[in-house]
Amino acid sequence: MSYKSYIEQSQKIADLAHIGAVLAWDQETKLPPKGANTRARQKATLSGLIHQLSTNKEYGELLQDLIEDDQLDQYQKRNVSLSLKDYRLATKFTQEFVQKKSQKISECFQAWLEARKERDFKIFQKPLEGLIDMVREEAEILGYTDHPYDAMLDLYEPDLTVDQVDQVFDPLKKDLKELISKISRAQQVNDHFLSGQFSSDKQLLFGEYILKAIGYDMEAGRQDESAHPFSISFGPGDQRVTTRVDEKNFAYMLWSTIHEGGHALYEQGLPHDQYGLPLGQAISLSIHESQSRLWENNVGRSLPFWEAHYPELQGRFPAFQDCKLQDFYRGINKIEKNKIRTEADELHYHFHVIIRYEIEREIMKGGLDVSQLRDAWNDLYASYLNVTFGHDGEGILQDVHWAHGSIGYFPTYTLGSLYAAQFFAQANQDISGLQNDLAKGNCSTLLDWLRKKVHYHGKYYSADDLCKEITGSSLDASYFMDYATKKYTEIYQL
Amino acid sequence: MSYKSYIEQSQKIADLAHIGAVLAWDQETKLPPKGANTRARQKATLSGLIHQLSTNKEYGELLQDLIEDDQLDQYQKRNVSLSLKDYRLATKFTQEFVQKKSQKISECFQAWLEARKERDFKIFQKPLEGLIDMVREEAEILGYTDHPYDAMLDLYEPDLTVDQVDQVFDPLKKDLKELISKISRAQQVNDHFLSGQFSSDKQLLFGEYILKAIGYDMEAGRQDESAHPFSISFGPGDQRVTTRVDEKNFAYMLWSTIHEGGHALYEQGLPHDQYGLPLGQAISLSIHESQSRLWENNVGRSLPFWEAHYPELQGRFPAFQDCKLQDFYRGINKIEKNKIRTEADELHYHFHVIIRYEIEREIMKGGLDVSQLRDAWNDLYASYLNVTFGHDGEGILQDVHWAHGSIGYFPTYTLGSLYAAQFFAQANQDISGLQNDLAKGNCSTLLDWLRKKVHYHGKYYSADDLCKEITGSSLDASYFMDYATKKYTEIYQL
């Protein structure tokens, strides 16, 4: 009886959270400019109500009773235990704090839009300072043992710490630098065919073709355009993706579509009968990112995938008719340093992430102020990537995350790629003829494997336990480096 | 201090209501099919919360205190008095009743969809009976003096009674019948130019042109497509419209765009500083409809309006190049009986409304059962319009209102046209050279007048007081008949 009541209350909270997702989706894809303030109000009011329900005393008592209930099975126990963790987290914040943060985020997001348009970080600086102050306060409220940043990392990747990230990122920096350096001395590949004139409508239709090809259910979602592509779930039966279209460059739509499609496949594969409960939710951001990266890079940038789909692409876009499949494959895997994270190749990409991680780490530690942010950014880019920016719009204003107050989010991008490589290596062992399936345009053996191994479990396992369950070991960056070294040795004939 | 608290609580309720509007808009314009159940959950959860806040005991006590507060000015008093009316209304219903009705509406709406598809009223009959029983119960709970239908009318048009409606509709029927009869004996006009092939994209762009022409602020709204056009407010700065596009018939997009645009202009003109309070809201459905009809018919179907905009239309659609302005004007004012209310001309339209009104009146009185509904419908259409239906889908199932339990809504459509004619007659007296302005493409003198006379006041006046304030007298159908007689005498050379 009380487990039933727990389900009802949890689902009510989930309903409101998904309503918040609708408001956010609309804000990023459709909202007219003058509606921004009103939307900020609505989101703040909704956040307040969610906070109220999530911290409701009777709800907490119910969870406390249930955690001591021996009648529950292991799945129910896992649900209750994770909900109790969420409850304890939520009760750390006052309603006032939550609403104030939501309001600040809305202001900050509007300022970011304006600053990006004007290419001037100064417009963003003041609102961001206010938001960062709140994030620092948040870390103190959440509590941590070693590093204030640990409190924030835990929000996106449970139990992740600065120590662990450093242990992964430091050797990765070294290994990647070596590989990139080898590549830079080799004969370069050409990707000029991605530039040209590609009508927006036709690109969007090809995006839908690709989404369907990887198994995305178009009856349980839709694709729209937004400045910064994202995927978002409105609950069972409605997982949406957005993409970005540049008529002069085919690459933006293509990679953002596959990437967000991968995220959405995860959400579409979560068990609906666990709606509103932890077992109906994704494990963590890095596992989420493992799904998008697996489809984007391990599948979407592979030769077999394009053996299946390149004829369709050539049929729809005559510009590709003069480009051979092999050249297309090499071109879409071109390694070249780039200013923009979301446009980076799969090796340089991690330096973009590491730069943001190191900045966030210092900001949270108090060693860096928002007023110094632009300089720190430019210095790190000069040092790691030998890149300089023409203006803030292409530099420090390129990502929306900080405008959303999402500090601790970036490292999960790189961890996701590492998990993806490890999972994909295992998939190739478990599924006989997988590469052959992909080359025939059949993605369903892979998707079924992911459904069974990853999606179906929701939060039953932790990220680390899932990785061990699937691959027999914890996260190990050598899978990624092996994959990358093999692939680029072949492409660049190193 | 307590007035401030009243504002805060009222605005919170308004935030949630507008969030509900976002969910509804998305459902009608974007929702993927498999997301329907999840959306229904979200709406039910939100409705429950809105009901909870609207009937909160402390909120009621606050309103009761404020109503006796002599310190309040006349505007504040009006706000509190109307909010107290809303509060008393909301508290008349138990949460159980509200949920049961919401459940019945969902069943009824699904049955209506199915019945419409199968073109068979029988599928709809049983669920509708259940819903009508609840509406009758609702009228008893709400209370009335003379007629149970009065209780329902009051929900959409405060203080409107069956007596008043009959007093307006009975002579209107007679006068309209005479005018239509004269027209039917005259030389008919041609509107073939509205049929052809008009690309959807170009129609939508022309719709935006028209919206801008009448003064709709595209930065505070947007136009999307939906099966049934509507306008909806998400709060200050975000008033959206939808339209319906038929590539073979230009008329659908054109009239739904101007009509919904007129509604949205009203919402865009409401005082933002009264957000969440009655003075920040539209008076009633008939005054809302007066705004849409004024722009659609009195302006949008007038010769001066097209003197200004016809060249633009011809430029964008070569199909109109062979059609002279005078012929276009006559054609868009073609009078011809029609089976479908939403496609009716501005004279026959009122018979469609009156038929529904007379049926609702008898149903509420108990003189008509749902089992007799189809016969009553068909008899009235035969008698008033000499129309017979091929099947129920184009007949009694054409409107969604009854499936939504909206009994009492229809009469406001005709009252809106009557108010529109009366207001427009006054506008032509108050604004020197108005017809000339319109012919020059300048709609702003009219819009400014409406802003000042109607929009700006929110609910400060009742519909009747507003009409007296603007025109010196209560609603008088002779303004509409004078307008119609003059216009159609000229067009049909009667």
Side-chain angles (χ1 to χ4, degrees):
Chain A
M1 188 56 205
S2 59
Y3 191 79
K4 201 181 151 213
S5 164
Y6 153 67
I7 292 176
E8 275 168 18
Q9 291 186 59
S10 302
Q11 289 186 337
K12 201 169 162 184
I13 295 168
D15 288 339
L16 295 184
H18 286 126
I19 290 170
V22 178
L23 297 183
W25 173 86
D26 182 80
Q27 182 169 21
E28 308 247 351
T29 59
K30 312 290 176 194
L31 192 76
K34 290 182 184 168
N37 288 339
T38 297
R39 183 55 48 89
R41 271 197 69 95
Q42 292 162 355
K43 286 169 82 179
T45 296
L46 192 66
S47 297
L49 281 170
I50 292 171
H51 182 71
Q52 217 170 297
L53 289 176
S54 313
T55 58
N56 175 286
K57 212 167 154 243
E58 286 86 53
Y59 182 57
E61 286 163 2
L62 181 63
L63 291 169
Q64 197 57 58
D65 286 352
L66 283 169
I67 203 85
E68 288 153 15
D69 185 345
D70 291 335
Q71 310 280 57
L72 301 188
D73 65 30
Q74 64 201 29
Y75 303 103
Q76 294 173 324
K77 275 190 184 141
R78 176 73 177 161
N79 269 333
V80 172
S81 142
L82 289 170
S83 291
L84 188 59
K85 188 189 170 190
D86 287 344
Y87 174 79
R88 284 178 179 151
L89 197 119
T91 49
K92 289 185 174 181
F93 300 101
T94 62
Q95 172 108 2
E96 203 194 344
F97 184 89
V98 173
Q99 274 175 330
K100 199 177 146 198
K101 193 182 166 197
S102 159
Q103 185 69 34
K104 280 248 180 281
I105 287 172
S106 291
E107 287 165 19
C108 222
F109 176 68
Q110 289 308 317
W112 174 76
L113 287 176
E114 176 68 12
R116 214 160 96 118
K117 211 177 103 195
E118 301 294 330
R119 302 174 167 189
D120 183 4
F121 177 71
K122 280 268 180 297
I123 296 167
F124 183 45
Q125 187 180 314
K126 203 95 196 158
L128 184 61
E129 270 168 10
L131 187 54
I132 292 291
D133 282 347
M134 288 207 75
V135 173
R136 283 175 177 151
E137 199 183 332
E138 200 178 341
E140 295 305 319
I141 294 168
L142 288 166
Y144 51 89
T145 312
D146 296 322
H147 198 295
Y149 193 33
D150 292 348
M152 304 313 295
L153 289 171
D154 181 64
L155 292 178
Y156 303 100
E157 195 62 27
D159 303 322
L160 187 69
T161 63
V162 165
D163 249 14
Q164 289 170 16
V165 179
D166 286 340
Q167 272 174 41
V168 176
F169 282 8
D170 286 339
L172 185 68
K173 273 198 281 192
K174 198 180 129 281
D175 294 345
L176 277 173
K177 205 180 160 188
E178 272 174 32
L179 179 57
I180 290 173
S181 163
K182 268 193 211 161
I183 291 171
S184 71
R185 291 191 301 269
Q187 171 79 36
Q188 295 306 292
V189 303
N190 204 330
D191 67 350
H192 67 276
F193 50 82
L194 291 169
S195 301
Q197 186 65 35
F198 308 92
S199 103
S200 174
D201 288 349
K202 282 174 79 183
Q203 282 197 55
L204 286 167
L205 284 174
F206 188 71
E208 287 197 14
Y209 165 83
I210 287 291
L211 287 171
K212 285 176 200 157
I214 63 174
Y216 176 83
D217 182 354
M218 289 300 301
E219 297 229 304
R222 52 179 288 130
Q223 174 163 267
D224 291 81
E225 288 182 76
S226 67
H228 193 96
F230 60 95
S231 78
I232 195 163
S233 175
F234 293 176
D238 198 354
Q239 279 77 33
R240 305 193 184 180
V241 292
T242 72
T243 192
R244 177 185 159 202
V245 180
D246 182 334
E247 294 212 324
K248 302 215 177 303
N249 189 327
F250 196 77
Y252 296 117
M253 181 286 298
L254 184 59
W255 304 120
S256 71
T257 294
I258 307 188
H259 181 92
E260 302 308 336
H263 279 302
L265 285 178
Y266 188 6
E267 294 286 334
Q268 290 189 334
L270 291 168
H272 288 188
D273 60 351
Q274 294 287 325
Y275 171 66
L277 308 179
L279 295 198
Q281 294 159 12
I283 293 187
S284 68
L285 284 194
S286 72
I287 299 300
H288 227 309
E289 190 72 5
S290 78
Q291 301 306 293
S292 57
R293 287 293 170 193
L294 189 149
W295 288 102
E296 179 190 353
N297 292 332
N298 304 85
V299 176
R301 282 191 167 93
S302 76
L303 188 56
F305 184 76
W306 289 104
E307 279 174 28
H309 302 294
Y310 196 54
E312 184 72 30
L313 181 68
Q314 286 182 311
R316 292 177 183 230
F317 297 91
F320 291 105
Q321 269 159 14
D322 293 335
C323 175
K324 287 189 190 129
L325 172 61
Q326 270 291 344
D327 292 334
F328 178 80
Y329 167 64
R330 289 155 60 92
I332 60 174
N333 283 294
K334 184 176 181 176
I335 298 299
E336 188 176 43
K337 71 174 181 184
N338 186 304
K339 292 174 186 180
I340 309 293
R341 177 182 63 83
T342 56
E343 297 165 19
D345 61 68
E346 61 176 326
L347 301 184
H348 282 99
Y349 184 81
H350 301 292
F351 287 101
H352 292 269
V353 170
I354 289 167
I355 287 166
R356 287 155 177 79
Y357 162 72
E358 293 183 354
I359 286 174
E360 291 187 350
R361 190 184 60 193
E362 295 316 302
I363 278 196
M364 289 310 294
K365 208 179 167 185
L368 192 67
D369 279 341
V370 173
S371 63
Q372 304 166 294
L373 211 57
R374 177 165 51 178
D375 288 341
W377 173 281
N378 290 337
D379 289 349
L380 280 167
Y381 262 93
S383 151
Y384 287 164
L385 289 167
N386 196 22
V387 149
T388 53
F389 296 99
H391 55 79
D392 294 341
E394 58 174 23
I396 191 164
L397 297 169
Q398 66 178 262
D399 287 315
V400 72
H401 302 61
W402 292 340
H404 282 163
S406 303
I407 305 290
Y409 190 129
F410 280 119
T412 67
Y413 285 138
T414 285
L415 297 177
S417 291
L418 306 185
Y419 276 121
Q422 194 163 342
F423 293 163
F424 195 64
Q426 189 65 43
N428 276 289
Q429 283 193 25
D430 291 358
I431 310 165
S432 75
L434 172 56
Q435 294 296 317
N436 206 28
D437 290 346
L438 294 174
K440 283 186 196 143
N442 174 14
C443 290
S444 71
T445 49
L446 177 60
L447 181 57
D448 289 348
W449 186 89
L450 290 168
R451 290 255 186 271
K452 200 175 125 213
K453 296 283 179 175
V454 182
H455 307 174
Y456 178 70
H457 303 293
K459 274 192 203 303
Y460 182 68
Y461 299 109
S462 69
D464 187 46
D465 285 346
L466 183 83
C467 192
K468 284 191 248 176
E469 187 72 22
I470 297 175
T471 70
S473 71
S474 288
L475 181 65
D476 180 347
S478 68
Y479 286 96
F480 176 78
M481 283 313 304
D482 289 349
Y483 150 80
T485 305
K486 183 165 176 282
K487 178 174 174 179
Y488 291 100
T489 296
E490 192 251 18
I491 290 176
Y492 281 91
Q493 300 167 326
L494 301 180
Chain B
M1 189 56 207
S2 58
Y3 191 80
K4 201 181 151 213
S5 163
Y6 152 68
I7 292 177
E8 275 168 19
Q9 292 185 59
S10 302
Q11 289 186 338
K12 201 168 161 184
I13 296 168
D15 287 339
L16 295 185
H18 286 127
I19 290 171
V22 178
L23 297 183
W25 173 87
D26 182 79
Q27 183 168 23
E28 305 273 338
T29 58
K30 312 288 176 197
L31 193 76
K34 291 183 184 168
N37 287 339
T38 296
R39 184 55 47 89
R41 271 197 69 93
Q42 291 161 356
K43 285 168 84 178
T45 296
L46 193 66
S47 297
L49 281 169
I50 292 171
H51 183 72
Q52 218 169 297
L53 288 177
S54 311
T55 58
N56 175 285
K57 211 167 156 243
E58 286 86 54
Y59 182 57
E61 285 163 2
L62 181 63
L63 290 169
Q64 197 56 58
D65 285 352
L66 284 170
I67 204 83
E68 288 154 15
D69 184 346
D70 291 336
Q71 308 281 57
L72 301 188
D73 65 30
Q74 63 199 21
Y75 304 102
Q76 294 172 323
K77 275 190 184 140
R78 176 74 177 159
N79 270 332
V80 171
S81 142
L82 289 170
S83 291
L84 188 59
K85 189 188 169 189
D86 287 343
Y87 175 79
R88 285 177 178 151
L89 198 118
T91 50
K92 283 186 177 179
F93 300 100
T94 61
Q95 178 97 13
E96 201 194 343
F97 184 90
V98 171
Q99 275 171 342
K100 199 176 147 199
K101 193 181 168 199
S102 154
Q103 183 66 33
K104 282 254 181 270
I105 288 172
S106 290
E107 288 165 20
C108 222
F109 178 67
Q110 289 307 318
W112 175 76
L113 287 175
E114 175 68 11
R116 215 160 96 117
K117 211 177 103 195
E118 300 294 328
R119 302 174 166 188
D120 183 5
F121 177 70
K122 279 268 179 299
I123 296 167
F124 183 44
Q125 188 179 314
K126 201 96 198 158
L128 184 61
E129 270 168 10
L131 185 54
I132 292 292
D133 283 347
M134 288 210 74
V135 172
R136 284 174 177 150
E137 198 184 334
E138 199 178 341
E140 296 305 319
I141 294 169
L142 288 166
Y144 52 88
T145 312
D146 295 323
H147 197 296
Y149 193 33
D150 291 349
M152 303 314 294
L153 289 171
D154 180 64
L155 292 179
Y156 303 100
E157 195 62 27
D159 304 321
L160 187 69
T161 64
V162 165
D163 250 14
Q164 289 170 16
V165 179
D166 286 341
Q167 272 174 42
V168 177
F169 282 8
D170 286 340
L172 186 68
K173 274 198 281 193
K174 197 179 130 284
D175 294 344
L176 277 173
K177 205 179 160 188
E178 272 174 32
L179 179 56
I180 289 173
S181 163
K182 268 191 211 165
I183 291 171
S184 70
R185 292 190 302 269
Q187 172 78 39
Q188 296 305 292
V189 303
N190 203 329
D191 67 351
H192 68 276
F193 50 82
L194 291 170
S195 302
Q197 187 63 36
F198 307 93
S199 104
S200 174
D201 288 349
K202 281 173 80 182
Q203 282 196 56
L204 286 168
L205 283 173
F206 187 71
E208 286 196 16
Y209 165 83
I210 287 291
L211 287 172
K212 285 177 201 158
I214 64 175
Y216 175 83
D217 182 353
M218 290 298 300
E219 298 230 304
R222 50 178 289 129
Q223 173 163 268
D224 291 81
E225 287 183 77
S226 66
H228 304 279
F230 60 94
S231 77
I232 195 162
S233 175
F234 293 176
D238 198 355
Q239 278 77 33
R240 304 191 185 182
V241 293
T242 72
T243 192
R244 173 185 161 201
V245 179
D246 182 335
E247 293 212 325
K248 302 214 176 304
N249 189 327
F250 197 77
Y252 295 118
M253 181 287 296
L254 183 58
W255 303 121
S256 70
T257 294
I258 307 186
H259 182 92
E260 303 307 336
H263 279 302
L265 285 178
Y266 187 6
E267 294 285 335
Q268 289 190 335
L270 291 168
H272 289 188
D273 61 352
Q274 294 289 322
Y275 171 67
L277 309 178
L279 295 198
Q281 294 158 12
I283 293 185
S284 69
L285 285 193
S286 72
I287 299 300
H288 226 308
E289 191 73 4
S290 78
Q291 300 306 294
S292 56
R293 288 292 170 194
L294 188 149
W295 288 103
E296 179 191 353
N297 291 334
N298 305 84
V299 176
R301 282 190 166 92
S302 76
L303 189 56
F305 184 75
W306 288 106
E307 280 174 27
H309 302 293
Y310 196 56
E312 184 72 29
L313 180 68
Q314 287 182 311
R316 292 178 184 228
F317 297 91
F320 292 106
Q321 268 160 14
D322 292 336
C323 175
K324 285 188 191 131
L325 171 62
Q326 270 291 343
D327 293 331
F328 178 81
Y329 167 64
R330 287 154 60 94
I332 60 174
N333 284 294
K334 184 176 183 176
I335 298 298
E336 189 175 43
K337 71 175 180 185
N338 186 304
K339 291 175 186 179
I340 310 294
R341 176 181 63 82
T342 55
E343 297 166 18
D345 61 65
E346 64 175 324
L347 301 184
H348 283 99
Y349 184 82
H350 301 293
F351 287 100
H352 292 269
V353 170
I354 289 166
I355 286 167
R356 288 155 177 77
Y357 162 71
E358 293 183 354
I359 286 174
E360 290 186 351
R361 187 185 62 195
E362 294 316 303
I363 278 196
M364 290 308 295
K365 208 181 168 185
L368 191 67
D369 278 341
V370 173
S371 63
Q372 305 166 295
L373 211 57
R374 176 165 52 180
D375 289 342
W377 173 281
N378 289 336
D379 289 350
L380 281 166
Y381 262 95
S383 150
Y384 287 165
L385 288 168
N386 195 22
V387 150
T388 53
F389 296 100
H391 54 80
D392 294 341
E394 60 175 22
I396 190 165
L397 297 169
Q398 67 177 260
D399 287 315
V400 71
H401 302 60
W402 292 340
H404 281 163
S406 302
I407 306 287
Y409 190 128
F410 280 119
T412 66
Y413 286 137
T414 285
L415 296 177
S417 291
L418 306 184
Y419 276 122
Q422 193 163 342
F423 292 163
F424 194 63
Q426 189 65 42
N428 275 289
Q429 283 194 24
D430 290 359
I431 309 164
S432 76
L434 172 56
Q435 295 295 317
N436 206 29
D437 290 344
L438 294 175
K440 284 187 195 145
N442 174 14
C443 290
S444 72
T445 49
L446 177 60
L447 180 57
D448 289 348
W449 186 88
L450 290 168
R451 290 256 186 271
K452 199 176 126 211
K453 296 283 179 175
V454 182
H455 308 173
Y456 177 70
H457 302 294
K459 275 191 200 307
Y460 182 68
Y461 299 109
S462 69
D464 186 48
D465 284 347
L466 182 84
C467 191
K468 285 191 247 176
E469 187 71 21
I470 297 175
T471 70
S473 71
S474 288
L475 181 65
D476 180 348
S478 68
Y479 287 96
F480 176 78
M481 284 313 305
D482 288 350
Y483 150 80
T485 305
K486 183 164 177 282
K487 178 173 174 177
Y488 290 100
T489 298
E490 191 251 18
I491 290 175
Y492 281 90
Q493 301 167 325
L494 303 179

